[in-house]
Amino acid sequence: MQRLLRKFETAKALVPAPVVERAKEKAKCGVIYFGSTTAAMREALATLAADGIHLDTMRLRAFPFCDAVADFINAYDQVFLVEQNRDAQIVPSGQ
């Protein structure tokens, strides 16, 4: 098991990092999304910004997640996770 944990720690530094985009105004909330939700998220974020709702975003690009993902989550009062389907691919089981 320790060998697998070391592999994951090494992989975190090798996979593509997430892309963070800051809102034009200070945001108290963030959004994490990935994959085919990108186009829909861009449209939704533009609509929300036009209504005065500003969110910082993180687009995940690979697993295992680097430490920046936890840092992003901890930086906000609330973080929304946009999943691709009903099976909650990103949320750990039991959460």
Side-chain angles (χ1 to χ4, degrees), residues 24-74:
K24 291 182 181 178
E25 296 187 24
K26 184 165 173 48
K28 291 184 180 180
C29 298
V31 176
I32 297 175
Y33 64 97
F34 63 101
S36 63
T37 61
T38 299
M41 281 304 304
R42 288 194 177 134
E43 181 180 344
L45 290 165
T47 300
L48 290 168
D51 288 341
I53 301 169
H54 303 281
L55 302 166
D56 290 345
T57 65
M58 174 177 271
R59 182 172 58 90
L60 301 176
R61 298 190 307 158
F63 180 81
F65 305 133
C66 64
D67 295 337
V69 176
D71 294 342
F72 183 87
I73 292 168
N74 292 326

mmCIF file of all heavy atoms in Angstrom, residues 24-74:
data_model
loop_
_atom_site.group_PDB
_atom_site.id
_atom_site.type_symbol
_atom_site.label_atom_id
_atom_site.label_comp_id
_atom_site.label_asym_id
_atom_site.label_seq_id
_atom_site.Cartn_x
_atom_site.Cartn_y
_atom_site.Cartn_z
ATOM 1 N N LYS A 24 -13.791 38.706 -11.953
ATOM 2 C CA LYS A 24 -13.388 40.109 -12.078
ATOM 3 C C LYS A 24 -13.538 40.854 -10.755
ATOM 4 O O LYS A 24 -12.880 41.850 -10.524
ATOM 5 C CB LYS A 24 -14.197 40.797 -13.172
ATOM 6 C CG LYS A 24 -13.843 40.295 -14.554
ATOM 7 C CD LYS A 24 -14.606 41.021 -15.626
ATOM 8 C CE LYS A 24 -14.206 40.452 -16.983
ATOM 9 N NZ LYS A 24 -14.933 41.075 -18.067
ATOM 10 N N GLU A 25 -14.425 40.363 -9.900
ATOM 11 C CA GLU A 25 -14.606 40.937 -8.575
ATOM 12 C C GLU A 25 -14.327 39.858 -7.532
ATOM 13 O O GLU A 25 -14.400 38.666 -7.830
ATOM 14 C CB GLU A 25 -16.028 41.479 -8.422
ATOM 15 C CG GLU A 25 -16.316 42.645 -9.370
ATOM 16 C CD GLU A 25 -17.661 43.284 -9.107
ATOM 17 O OE1 GLU A 25 -18.177 43.166 -7.979
ATOM 18 O OE2 GLU A 25 -18.190 43.903 -10.051
ATOM 19 N N LYS A 26 -14.024 40.287 -6.307
ATOM 20 C CA LYS A 26 -13.698 39.340 -5.244
ATOM 21 C C LYS A 26 -14.841 38.350 -5.043
ATOM 22 O O LYS A 26 -15.996 38.735 -4.946
ATOM 23 C CB LYS A 26 -13.420 40.076 -3.943
ATOM 24 C CG LYS A 26 -12.973 39.155 -2.830
ATOM 25 C CD LYS A 26 -12.376 39.925 -1.686
ATOM 26 C CE LYS A 26 -12.074 39.094 -0.483
ATOM 27 N NZ LYS A 26 -11.368 37.873 -0.689
ATOM 28 N N ALA A 27 -14.496 37.082 -4.985
ATOM 29 C CA ALA A 27 -15.500 36.022 -4.851
ATOM 30 C C ALA A 27 -15.388 35.333 -3.493
ATOM 31 O O ALA A 27 -14.288 35.058 -3.028
ATOM 32 C CB ALA A 27 -15.320 34.995 -5.965
ATOM 33 N N LYS A 28 -16.538 35.078 -2.874
ATOM 34 C CA LYS A 28 -16.581 34.317 -1.623
ATOM 35 C C LYS A 28 -16.771 32.831 -1.895
ATOM 36 O O LYS A 28 -16.574 32.010 -1.019
ATOM 37 C CB LYS A 28 -17.720 34.812 -0.738
ATOM 38 C CG LYS A 28 -17.507 36.197 -0.186
ATOM 39 C CD LYS A 28 -18.632 36.562 0.737
ATOM 40 C CE LYS A 28 -18.426 37.946 1.304
ATOM 41 N NZ LYS A 28 -19.518 38.327 2.200
ATOM 42 N N CYS A 29 -17.192 32.515 -3.116
ATOM 43 C CA CYS A 29 -17.475 31.132 -3.487
ATOM 44 C C CYS A 29 -16.667 30.741 -4.717
ATOM 45 O O CYS A 29 -16.290 31.577 -5.519
ATOM 46 C CB CYS A 29 -18.962 30.946 -3.785
ATOM 47 S SG CYS A 29 -20.029 31.289 -2.383
ATOM 48 N N GLY A 30 -16.454 29.444 -4.834
ATOM 49 C CA GLY A 30 -15.748 28.910 -5.989
ATOM 50 C C GLY A 30 -16.539 27.792 -6.637
ATOM 51 O O GLY A 30 -17.483 27.270 -6.051
ATOM 52 N N VAL A 31 -16.121 27.434 -7.828
ATOM 53 C CA VAL A 31 -16.736 26.338 -8.572
ATOM 54 C C VAL A 31 -15.620 25.459 -9.120
ATOM 55 O O VAL A 31 -14.642 25.959 -9.678
ATOM 56 C CB VAL A 31 -17.591 26.853 -9.756
ATOM 57 C CG1 VAL A 31 -18.134 25.697 -10.571
ATOM 58 C CG2 VAL A 31 -18.715 27.734 -9.287
ATOM 59 N N ILE A 32 -15.790 24.154 -8.957
ATOM 60 C CA ILE A 32 -14.869 23.184 -9.558
ATOM 61 C C ILE A 32 -15.646 22.409 -10.613
ATOM 62 O O ILE A 32 -16.760 21.947 -10.355
ATOM 63 C CB ILE A 32 -14.303 22.226 -8.496
ATOM 64 C CG1 ILE A 32 -13.484 23.001 -7.467
ATOM 65 C CG2 ILE A 32 -13.460 21.132 -9.157
ATOM 66 C CD1 ILE A 32 -12.974 22.149 -6.314
ATOM 67 N N TYR A 33 -15.052 22.281 -11.781
ATOM 68 C CA TYR A 33 -15.693 21.532 -12.860
ATOM 69 C C TYR A 33 -14.621 20.834 -13.682
ATOM 70 O O TYR A 33 -13.426 21.040 -13.486
ATOM 71 C CB TYR A 33 -16.569 22.440 -13.726
ATOM 72 C CG TYR A 33 -15.816 23.511 -14.478
ATOM 73 C CD1 TYR A 33 -15.454 23.316 -15.810
ATOM 74 C CD2 TYR A 33 -15.459 24.707 -13.880
ATOM 75 C CE1 TYR A 33 -14.766 24.288 -16.515
ATOM 76 C CE2 TYR A 33 -14.781 25.686 -14.571
ATOM 77 C CZ TYR A 33 -14.430 25.470 -15.884
ATOM 78 O OH TYR A 33 -13.752 26.438 -16.574
ATOM 79 N N PHE A 34 -15.043 20.008 -14.636
ATOM 80 C CA PHE A 34 -14.082 19.274 -15.452
ATOM 81 C C PHE A 34 -14.736 18.766 -16.725
ATOM 82 O O PHE A 34 -15.961 18.758 -16.854
ATOM 83 C CB PHE A 34 -13.480 18.101 -14.660
ATOM 84 C CG PHE A 34 -14.485 17.056 -14.249
ATOM 85 C CD1 PHE A 34 -14.612 15.877 -14.951
ATOM 86 C CD2 PHE A 34 -15.301 17.252 -13.154
ATOM 87 C CE1 PHE A 34 -15.524 14.916 -14.580
ATOM 88 C CE2 PHE A 34 -16.209 16.297 -12.760
ATOM 89 C CZ PHE A 34 -16.324 15.120 -13.471
ATOM 90 N N GLY A 35 -13.903 18.362 -17.636
ATOM 91 C CA GLY A 35 -14.345 17.662 -18.843
ATOM 92 C C GLY A 35 -15.347 18.414 -19.692
ATOM 93 O O GLY A 35 -15.215 19.608 -19.955
ATOM 94 N N SER A 36 -16.372 17.687 -20.105
ATOM 95 C CA SER A 36 -17.334 18.225 -21.063
ATOM 96 C C SER A 36 -18.258 19.278 -20.465
ATOM 97 O O SER A 36 -19.085 19.839 -21.183
ATOM 98 C CB SER A 36 -18.161 17.093 -21.679
ATOM 99 O OG SER A 36 -18.914 16.439 -20.678
ATOM 100 N N THR A 37 -18.115 19.579 -19.170
ATOM 101 C CA THR A 37 -18.919 20.653 -18.585
ATOM 102 C C THR A 37 -18.334 22.027 -18.881
ATOM 103 O O THR A 37 -18.949 23.044 -18.567
ATOM 104 C CB THR A 37 -19.043 20.482 -17.055
ATOM 105 O OG1 THR A 37 -17.741 20.534 -16.474
ATOM 106 C CG2 THR A 37 -19.720 19.173 -16.699
ATOM 107 N N THR A 38 -17.164 22.098 -19.488
ATOM 108 C CA THR A 38 -16.458 23.364 -19.693
ATOM 109 C C THR A 38 -17.289 24.398 -20.456
ATOM 110 O O THR A 38 -17.423 25.543 -20.009
ATOM 111 C CB THR A 38 -15.115 23.124 -20.400
ATOM 112 O OG1 THR A 38 -14.320 22.274 -19.576
ATOM 113 C CG2 THR A 38 -14.371 24.420 -20.646
ATOM 114 N N ALA A 39 -17.839 24.045 -21.583
ATOM 115 C CA ALA A 39 -18.608 25.017 -22.376
ATOM 116 C C ALA A 39 -19.840 25.501 -21.620
ATOM 117 O O ALA A 39 -20.129 26.708 -21.596
ATOM 118 C CB ALA A 39 -19.020 24.401 -23.715
ATOM 119 N N ALA A 40 -20.539 24.597 -20.982
ATOM 120 C CA ALA A 40 -21.724 24.983 -20.208
ATOM 121 C C ALA A 40 -21.332 25.868 -19.026
ATOM 122 O O ALA A 40 -22.044 26.820 -18.691
ATOM 123 C CB ALA A 40 -22.463 23.742 -19.727
ATOM 124 N N MET A 41 -20.198 25.578 -18.395
ATOM 125 C CA MET A 41 -19.752 26.399 -17.271
ATOM 126 C C MET A 41 -19.395 27.807 -17.729
ATOM 127 O O MET A 41 -19.723 28.775 -17.047
ATOM 128 C CB MET A 41 -18.547 25.752 -16.583
ATOM 129 C CG MET A 41 -18.916 24.627 -15.650
ATOM 130 S SD MET A 41 -20.104 25.106 -14.368
ATOM 131 C CE MET A 41 -19.263 26.470 -13.589
ATOM 132 N N ARG A 42 -18.742 27.946 -18.848
ATOM 133 C CA ARG A 42 -18.403 29.281 -19.355
ATOM 134 C C ARG A 42 -19.667 30.103 -19.597
ATOM 135 O O ARG A 42 -19.736 31.283 -19.257
ATOM 136 C CB ARG A 42 -17.567 29.172 -20.614
ATOM 137 C CG ARG A 42 -16.163 28.707 -20.297
ATOM 138 C CD ARG A 42 -15.220 28.897 -21.441
ATOM 139 N NE ARG A 42 -13.883 28.499 -21.010
ATOM 140 C CZ ARG A 42 -13.079 27.750 -21.705
ATOM 141 N NH1 ARG A 42 -13.442 27.343 -22.913
ATOM 142 N NH2 ARG A 42 -11.895 27.422 -21.238
ATOM 143 N N GLU A 43 -20.663 29.471 -20.182
ATOM 144 C CA GLU A 43 -21.931 30.158 -20.430
ATOM 145 C C GLU A 43 -22.601 30.526 -19.103
ATOM 146 O O GLU A 43 -23.066 31.664 -18.923
ATOM 147 C CB GLU A 43 -22.849 29.263 -21.260
ATOM 148 C CG GLU A 43 -24.177 29.899 -21.594
ATOM 149 C CD GLU A 43 -25.076 29.004 -22.419
ATOM 150 O OE1 GLU A 43 -24.587 28.019 -23.003
ATOM 151 O OE2 GLU A 43 -26.279 29.306 -22.481
ATOM 152 N N ALA A 44 -22.652 29.595 -18.174
ATOM 153 C CA ALA A 44 -23.290 29.852 -16.884
ATOM 154 C C ALA A 44 -22.556 30.951 -16.113
ATOM 155 O O ALA A 44 -23.195 31.826 -15.506
ATOM 156 C CB ALA A 44 -23.338 28.570 -16.059
ATOM 157 N N LEU A 45 -21.228 30.923 -16.122
ATOM 158 C CA LEU A 45 -20.449 31.936 -15.409
ATOM 159 C C LEU A 45 -20.665 33.327 -15.990
ATOM 160 O O LEU A 45 -20.755 34.308 -15.253
ATOM 161 C CB LEU A 45 -18.970 31.568 -15.420
ATOM 162 C CG LEU A 45 -18.612 30.350 -14.560
ATOM 163 C CD1 LEU A 45 -17.228 29.839 -14.914
ATOM 164 C CD2 LEU A 45 -18.729 30.672 -13.084
ATOM 165 N N ALA A 46 -20.774 33.424 -17.303
ATOM 166 C CA ALA A 46 -21.040 34.719 -17.946
ATOM 167 C C ALA A 46 -22.419 35.238 -17.549
ATOM 168 O O ALA A 46 -22.589 36.431 -17.249
ATOM 169 C CB ALA A 46 -20.931 34.591 -19.457
ATOM 170 N N THR A 47 -23.396 34.351 -17.514
ATOM 171 C CA THR A 47 -24.755 34.736 -17.119
ATOM 172 C C THR A 47 -24.780 35.170 -15.659
ATOM 173 O O THR A 47 -25.389 36.193 -15.309
ATOM 174 C CB THR A 47 -25.733 33.562 -17.341
ATOM 175 O OG1 THR A 47 -25.713 33.214 -18.727
ATOM 176 C CG2 THR A 47 -27.143 33.928 -16.928
ATOM 177 N N LEU A 48 -24.129 34.415 -14.790
ATOM 178 C CA LEU A 48 -24.078 34.771 -13.371
ATOM 179 C C LEU A 48 -23.365 36.103 -13.157
ATOM 180 O O LEU A 48 -23.823 36.943 -12.380
ATOM 181 C CB LEU A 48 -23.386 33.666 -12.574
ATOM 182 C CG LEU A 48 -24.171 32.359 -12.428
ATOM 183 C CD1 LEU A 48 -23.273 31.246 -11.891
ATOM 184 C CD2 LEU A 48 -25.388 32.556 -11.525
ATOM 185 N N ALA A 49 -22.251 36.320 -13.845
ATOM 186 C CA ALA A 49 -21.510 37.576 -13.712
ATOM 187 C C ALA A 49 -22.365 38.762 -14.156
ATOM 188 O O ALA A 49 -22.331 39.824 -13.527
ATOM 189 C CB ALA A 49 -20.212 37.516 -14.505
ATOM 190 N N ALA A 50 -23.146 38.573 -15.207
ATOM 191 C CA ALA A 50 -24.030 39.639 -15.679
ATOM 192 C C ALA A 50 -25.091 39.983 -14.634
ATOM 193 O O ALA A 50 -25.573 41.122 -14.571
ATOM 194 C CB ALA A 50 -24.702 39.228 -16.986
ATOM 195 N N ASP A 51 -25.412 39.002 -13.786
ATOM 196 C CA ASP A 51 -26.380 39.218 -12.702
ATOM 197 C C ASP A 51 -25.697 39.628 -11.397
ATOM 198 O O ASP A 51 -26.333 39.668 -10.339
ATOM 199 C CB ASP A 51 -27.206 37.949 -12.469
ATOM 200 C CG ASP A 51 -28.206 37.679 -13.577
ATOM 201 O OD1 ASP A 51 -28.534 38.617 -14.339
ATOM 202 O OD2 ASP A 51 -28.665 36.526 -13.688
ATOM 203 N N GLY A 52 -24.388 39.879 -11.445
ATOM 204 C CA GLY A 52 -23.664 40.323 -10.262
ATOM 205 C C GLY A 52 -23.166 39.225 -9.349
ATOM 206 O O GLY A 52 -22.747 39.483 -8.226
ATOM 207 N N ILE A 53 -23.199 37.995 -9.817
ATOM 208 C CA ILE A 53 -22.711 36.857 -9.031
ATOM 209 C C ILE A 53 -21.356 36.454 -9.582
ATOM 210 O O ILE A 53 -21.249 36.000 -10.721
ATOM 211 C CB ILE A 53 -23.698 35.674 -9.093
ATOM 212 C CG1 ILE A 53 -25.056 36.113 -8.544
ATOM 213 C CG2 ILE A 53 -23.151 34.471 -8.326
ATOM 214 C CD1 ILE A 53 -26.174 35.129 -8.800
ATOM 215 N N HIS A 54 -20.321 36.628 -8.783
ATOM 216 C CA HIS A 54 -18.959 36.393 -9.237
ATOM 217 C C HIS A 54 -18.372 35.185 -8.520
ATOM 218 O O HIS A 54 -18.404 35.107 -7.295
ATOM 219 C CB HIS A 54 -18.110 37.641 -9.009
ATOM 220 C CG HIS A 54 -18.674 38.832 -9.694
ATOM 221 N ND1 HIS A 54 -18.506 39.059 -11.039
ATOM 222 C CD2 HIS A 54 -19.451 39.842 -9.241
ATOM 223 C CE1 HIS A 54 -19.135 40.161 -11.377
ATOM 224 N NE2 HIS A 54 -19.721 40.661 -10.303
ATOM 225 N N LEU A 55 -17.845 34.258 -9.291
ATOM 226 C CA LEU A 55 -17.284 33.019 -8.761
ATOM 227 C C LEU A 55 -15.892 32.782 -9.339
ATOM 228 O O LEU A 55 -15.682 32.975 -10.537
ATOM 229 C CB LEU A 55 -18.181 31.833 -9.139
ATOM 230 C CG LEU A 55 -19.638 31.894 -8.681
ATOM 231 C CD1 LEU A 55 -20.457 30.851 -9.407
ATOM 232 C CD2 LEU A 55 -19.711 31.702 -7.183
ATOM 233 N N ASP A 56 -14.978 32.351 -8.491
ATOM 234 C CA ASP A 56 -13.690 31.879 -8.982
ATOM 235 C C ASP A 56 -13.879 30.433 -9.405
ATOM 236 O O ASP A 56 -14.717 29.714 -8.851
ATOM 237 C CB ASP A 56 -12.623 31.967 -7.888
ATOM 238 C CG ASP A 56 -12.238 33.404 -7.567
ATOM 239 O OD1 ASP A 56 -12.562 34.306 -8.360
ATOM 240 O OD2 ASP A 56 -11.613 33.612 -6.522
ATOM 241 N N THR A 57 -13.109 30.001 -10.397
ATOM 242 C CA THR A 57 -13.303 28.642 -10.909
ATOM 243 C C THR A 57 -12.003 27.852 -10.941
ATOM 244 O O THR A 57 -10.908 28.408 -11.038
ATOM 245 C CB THR A 57 -13.882 28.667 -12.337
ATOM 246 O OG1 THR A 57 -12.924 29.244 -13.221
ATOM 247 C CG2 THR A 57 -15.189 29.440 -12.391
ATOM 248 N N MET A 58 -12.175 26.545 -10.882
ATOM 249 C CA MET A 58 -11.060 25.619 -11.067
ATOM 250 C C MET A 58 -11.535 24.518 -12.009
ATOM 251 O O MET A 58 -12.526 23.838 -11.732
ATOM 252 C CB MET A 58 -10.607 25.006 -9.745
ATOM 253 C CG MET A 58 -9.537 23.934 -9.930
ATOM 254 S SD MET A 58 -8.932 23.253 -8.374
ATOM 255 C CE MET A 58 -7.601 24.413 -8.062
ATOM 256 N N ARG A 59 -10.827 24.386 -13.132
ATOM 257 C CA ARG A 59 -11.138 23.299 -14.074
ATOM 258 C C ARG A 59 -10.110 22.195 -13.863
ATOM 259 O O ARG A 59 -8.911 22.364 -14.090
ATOM 260 C CB ARG A 59 -11.088 23.785 -15.524
ATOM 261 C CG ARG A 59 -11.444 22.685 -16.532
ATOM 262 C CD ARG A 59 -11.585 23.242 -17.930
ATOM 263 N NE ARG A 59 -10.400 23.910 -18.404
ATOM 264 C CZ ARG A 59 -9.403 23.303 -19.080
ATOM 265 N NH1 ARG A 59 -9.460 22.016 -19.356
ATOM 266 N NH2 ARG A 59 -8.367 23.995 -19.483
ATOM 267 N N LEU A 60 -10.590 21.058 -13.382
ATOM 268 C CA LEU A 60 -9.710 19.907 -13.170
ATOM 269 C C LEU A 60 -9.327 19.312 -14.511
ATOM 270 O O LEU A 60 -10.149 19.225 -15.426
ATOM 271 C CB LEU A 60 -10.419 18.847 -12.323
ATOM 272 C CG LEU A 60 -10.880 19.288 -10.942
ATOM 273 C CD1 LEU A 60 -11.661 18.160 -10.270
ATOM 274 C CD2 LEU A 60 -9.697 19.715 -10.086
ATOM 275 N N ARG A 61 -8.063 18.904 -14.618
ATOM 276 C CA ARG A 61 -7.614 18.311 -15.877
ATOM 277 C C ARG A 61 -7.053 16.914 -15.714
ATOM 278 O O ARG A 61 -6.835 16.223 -16.714
ATOM 279 C CB ARG A 61 -6.568 19.202 -16.532
ATOM 280 C CG ARG A 61 -7.133 20.567 -16.873
ATOM 281 C CD ARG A 61 -6.234 21.398 -17.727
ATOM 282 N NE ARG A 61 -4.896 21.538 -17.188
ATOM 283 C CZ ARG A 61 -3.827 21.838 -17.909
ATOM 284 N NH1 ARG A 61 -3.944 22.037 -19.200
ATOM 285 N NH2 ARG A 61 -2.652 21.966 -17.345
ATOM 286 N N ALA A 62 -6.796 16.500 -14.462
ATOM 287 C CA ALA A 62 -6.204 15.173 -14.271
ATOM 288 C C ALA A 62 -6.361 14.716 -12.828
ATOM 289 O O ALA A 62 -6.596 15.510 -11.922
ATOM 290 C CB ALA A 62 -4.723 15.206 -14.637
ATOM 291 N N PHE A 63 -6.236 13.432 -12.645
ATOM 292 C CA PHE A 63 -6.225 12.796 -11.328
ATOM 293 C C PHE A 63 -4.949 11.984 -11.238
ATOM 294 O O PHE A 63 -4.547 11.400 -12.236
ATOM 295 C CB PHE A 63 -7.459 11.883 -11.197
ATOM 296 C CG PHE A 63 -7.537 11.194 -9.880
ATOM 297 C CD1 PHE A 63 -8.029 11.853 -8.773
ATOM 298 C CD2 PHE A 63 -7.096 9.891 -9.740
ATOM 299 C CE1 PHE A 63 -8.081 11.225 -7.546
ATOM 300 C CE2 PHE A 63 -7.138 9.257 -8.518
ATOM 301 C CZ PHE A 63 -7.638 9.923 -7.420
ATOM 302 N N PRO A 64 -4.278 11.927 -10.135
ATOM 303 C CA PRO A 64 -4.657 12.416 -8.812
ATOM 304 C C PRO A 64 -4.516 13.926 -8.720
ATOM 305 O O PRO A 64 -3.759 14.547 -9.458
ATOM 306 C CB PRO A 64 -3.686 11.717 -7.863
ATOM 307 C CG PRO A 64 -2.484 11.425 -8.698
ATOM 308 C CD PRO A 64 -2.987 11.201 -10.092
ATOM 309 N N PHE A 65 -5.278 14.515 -7.808
ATOM 310 C CA PHE A 65 -5.310 15.962 -7.660
ATOM 311 C C PHE A 65 -4.073 16.470 -6.928
ATOM 312 O O PHE A 65 -3.659 15.913 -5.922
ATOM 313 C CB PHE A 65 -6.547 16.402 -6.894
ATOM 314 C CG PHE A 65 -7.828 15.901 -7.495
ATOM 315 C CD1 PHE A 65 -8.795 15.330 -6.709
ATOM 316 C CD2 PHE A 65 -8.059 15.997 -8.854
ATOM 317 C CE1 PHE A 65 -9.981 14.870 -7.257
ATOM 318 C CE2 PHE A 65 -9.227 15.541 -9.416
ATOM 319 C CZ PHE A 65 -10.194 14.971 -8.610
ATOM 320 N N CYS A 66 -3.543 17.570 -7.427
ATOM 321 C CA CYS A 66 -2.411 18.203 -6.755
ATOM 322 C C CYS A 66 -2.921 18.963 -5.530
ATOM 323 O O CYS A 66 -4.119 19.136 -5.332
ATOM 324 C CB CYS A 66 -1.669 19.122 -7.717
ATOM 325 S SG CYS A 66 -2.649 20.512 -8.299
ATOM 326 N N ASP A 67 -2.008 19.435 -4.725
ATOM 327 C CA ASP A 67 -2.369 20.139 -3.492
ATOM 328 C C ASP A 67 -3.146 21.422 -3.758
ATOM 329 O O ASP A 67 -3.869 21.907 -2.891
ATOM 330 C CB ASP A 67 -1.118 20.445 -2.681
ATOM 331 C CG ASP A 67 -0.423 19.187 -2.190
ATOM 332 O OD1 ASP A 67 -1.100 18.133 -2.086
ATOM 333 O OD2 ASP A 67 0.788 19.243 -1.910
ATOM 334 N N ALA A 68 -3.023 21.983 -4.952
ATOM 335 C CA ALA A 68 -3.741 23.210 -5.290
ATOM 336 C C ALA A 68 -5.256 23.025 -5.210
ATOM 337 O O ALA A 68 -5.987 23.993 -4.958
ATOM 338 C CB ALA A 68 -3.349 23.688 -6.688
ATOM 339 N N VAL A 69 -5.739 21.806 -5.399
ATOM 340 C CA VAL A 69 -7.183 21.556 -5.328
ATOM 341 C C VAL A 69 -7.668 21.773 -3.899
ATOM 342 O O VAL A 69 -8.654 22.476 -3.659
ATOM 343 C CB VAL A 69 -7.538 20.143 -5.844
ATOM 344 C CG1 VAL A 69 -9.023 19.860 -5.665
ATOM 345 C CG2 VAL A 69 -7.143 20.001 -7.311
ATOM 346 N N ALA A 70 -6.983 21.206 -2.934
ATOM 347 C CA ALA A 70 -7.356 21.406 -1.525
ATOM 348 C C ALA A 70 -7.211 22.874 -1.137
ATOM 349 O O ALA A 70 -8.058 23.413 -0.409
ATOM 350 C CB ALA A 70 -6.510 20.524 -0.624
ATOM 351 N N ASP A 71 -6.172 23.528 -1.625
ATOM 352 C CA ASP A 71 -5.975 24.949 -1.329
ATOM 353 C C ASP A 71 -7.139 25.779 -1.858
ATOM 354 O O ASP A 71 -7.622 26.697 -1.184
ATOM 355 C CB ASP A 71 -4.664 25.452 -1.937
ATOM 356 C CG ASP A 71 -3.437 24.811 -1.305
ATOM 357 O OD1 ASP A 71 -3.545 24.244 -0.194
ATOM 358 O OD2 ASP A 71 -2.371 24.863 -1.945
ATOM 359 N N PHE A 72 -7.593 25.460 -3.065
ATOM 360 C CA PHE A 72 -8.729 26.168 -3.667
ATOM 361 C C PHE A 72 -9.976 25.973 -2.809
ATOM 362 O O PHE A 72 -10.678 26.931 -2.481
ATOM 363 C CB PHE A 72 -8.967 25.652 -5.092
ATOM 364 C CG PHE A 72 -10.070 26.361 -5.827
ATOM 365 C CD1 PHE A 72 -9.817 27.519 -6.537
ATOM 366 C CD2 PHE A 72 -11.358 25.861 -5.833
ATOM 367 C CE1 PHE A 72 -10.831 28.182 -7.232
ATOM 368 C CE2 PHE A 72 -12.377 26.507 -6.517
ATOM 369 C CZ PHE A 72 -12.116 27.667 -7.221
ATOM 370 N N ILE A 73 -10.254 24.750 -2.438
ATOM 371 C CA ILE A 73 -11.445 24.444 -1.637
ATOM 372 C C ILE A 73 -11.402 25.188 -0.305
ATOM 373 O O ILE A 73 -12.400 25.769 0.135
ATOM 374 C CB ILE A 73 -11.570 22.925 -1.421
ATOM 375 C CG1 ILE A 73 -11.897 22.241 -2.764
ATOM 376 C CG2 ILE A 73 -12.635 22.599 -0.364
ATOM 377 C CD1 ILE A 73 -11.763 20.738 -2.737
ATOM 378 N N ASN A 74 -10.256 25.198 0.333
ATOM 379 C CA ASN A 74 -10.130 25.826 1.649
ATOM 380 C C ASN A 74 -10.162 27.350 1.611
ATOM 381 O O ASN A 74 -10.336 27.993 2.640
ATOM 382 C CB ASN A 74 -8.847 25.355 2.331
ATOM 383 C CG ASN A 74 -8.919 23.892 2.700
ATOM 384 O OD1 ASN A 74 -9.975 23.376 3.047
ATOM 385 N ND2 ASN A 74 -7.791 23.207 2.617
#
